[in-house]
Amino acid sequence: MATKLNQLDLEKYNLDKYTFEELISEKELNDRVKKLGQQISKDYKGKIPVIIGVLNGSFLFMADLVRNLNIDFEVDFLKISSYGNDTKSSGTVGLIKDISADIKDRDIIVVEDIVDTGLSVEFLYNRLNKEKPSSIRFVTCLKKPSKINIDGLVNYIGFNISDSFVIGYGLDYAQKFRGLSSIYNLNPKKEN
Ligand code: IMP
């Protein structure tokens, strides 16, 4: 698939009940990620955080973010499940792949693609906190208005967005569309 979306792509994947619109352009993403990188570099000056990417969705955002840091850091990844092949959260989170780094007494920055209900953040915080790190902060590219209270955990937010389903820049629908270079909204077509 090309890096730009068109209506035929939606039809190909049985999403013809939806229309799409570009929500955040590639340039807006680049500019914002640069700013987040500068802020994180400033906040973690003199420290060597372990940056943990939450697979799969965060891989592009994380790759861009770390290239905008001017501090030393280490990386690790974990994988959780929540959405399956749907546009709504399943309501339960499971760990599919755990980290391998020893994070005791380390500063942790967890990189998320999007925070929706907040369940994943809550789950990840509880999971990682068991290892007794010095600190845990979350950075997310996108944030919807969360349904559960995770105030204070998500310290860095790329963009606050409204409650609709988005794809691109790492975010998928049924594992498709991750390579799109901007972020698109999928809007249900209005019935006549
Ligand atoms: P939460 O646990 O409900 O906050 O959901 C977080 C996870 O759900 C994200 O890491 C994504 O994988 C997925 N997700 C939530 N909203 C969207 C969306 O609009 N598009 C694609 N994936 C999403």
Side-chain angles (χ1 to χ4, degrees):
M1 186 187 297
T3 53
K4 286 214 171 301
L5 188 62
N6 70 61
Q7 195 66 35
L8 286 178
D9 294 322
L10 296 189
E11 284 164 25
K12 190 163 130 200
Y13 297 117
N14 296 325
L15 286 168
D16 35 351
K17 288 202 198 79
Y18 292 88
T19 57
F20 70 88
E21 66 183 326
E22 189 181 71
L23 182 66
I24 306 169
S25 70
E26 189 174 358
K27 163 132 191 8
E28 288 171 316
L29 284 166
N30 287 340
D31 291 350
R32 186 69 188 120
V33 173
K34 198 170 175 183
K35 290 243 162 63
L36 286 173
Q38 286 165 351
Q39 184 65 49
I40 291 171
S41 302
K42 200 168 145 221
D43 295 351
Y44 286 83
K45 193 162 184 267
K47 296 182 172 165
I48 306 178
V50 183
I51 302 182
I52 301 181
V54 184
L55 296 170
N56 291 333
S58 72
F59 74 112
L60 291 182
F61 174 51
M62 173 140 159
D64 287 343
L65 186 66
V66 298
R67 284 179 290 180
N68 281 288
L69 296 178
N70 57 22
I71 50 168
D72 287 333
F73 59 86
E74 294 168 21
V75 300
D76 201 349
F77 294 91
L78 52 68
K79 185 167 178 171
I80 54 173
S81 66
S82 71
Y83 261 47
N85 285 347
D86 206 347
T87 58
K88 289 208 167 50
S89 167
S90 64
T92 53
V93 185
L95 191 64
I96 297 177
K97 177 201 172 301
D98 207 350
I99 51 165
S100 43
D102 178 3
I103 59 167
K104 187 167 185 301
D105 299 328
R106 302 294 304 268
D107 293 301
I108 306 304
I109 303 174
V110 184
V111 184
E112 273 274 23
D113 51 356
I114 184 165
V115 175
D116 178 11
T117 59
L119 275 175
S120 303
V121 167
E122 189 184 57
F123 173 87
L124 290 168
Y125 180 83
N126 291 334
R127 163 68 194 87
L128 296 171
N129 203 32
K130 285 199 181 116
E131 308 292 324
K132 305 209 178 333
S134 307
S135 67
I136 307 180
R137 283 181 170 180
F138 284 76
V139 49
T140 186
C141 182
L142 305 176
K143 183 164 181 316
K144 295 184 190 174
S146 323
K147 282 119 205 149
I148 61 173
N149 187 3
I150 46 164
D151 290 352
L153 289 182
V154 186
N155 301 79
Y156 306 99
I157 298 172
F159 300 87
N160 281 295
I161 63 167
S162 64
D163 209 351
S164 78
F165 196 74
V166 289
I167 51 172
Y169 196 56
L171 289 149
D172 73 311
Y173 169 76
Q175 300 302 327
K176 305 290 184 316
F177 307 112
R178 292 194 196 274
L180 298 169
S181 44
S182 336
I183 292 177
Y184 296 86
N185 250 329
L186 285 185
N187 301 316
K189 272 185 189 162
K190 294 198 175 71
E191 304 289 338
N192 292 317

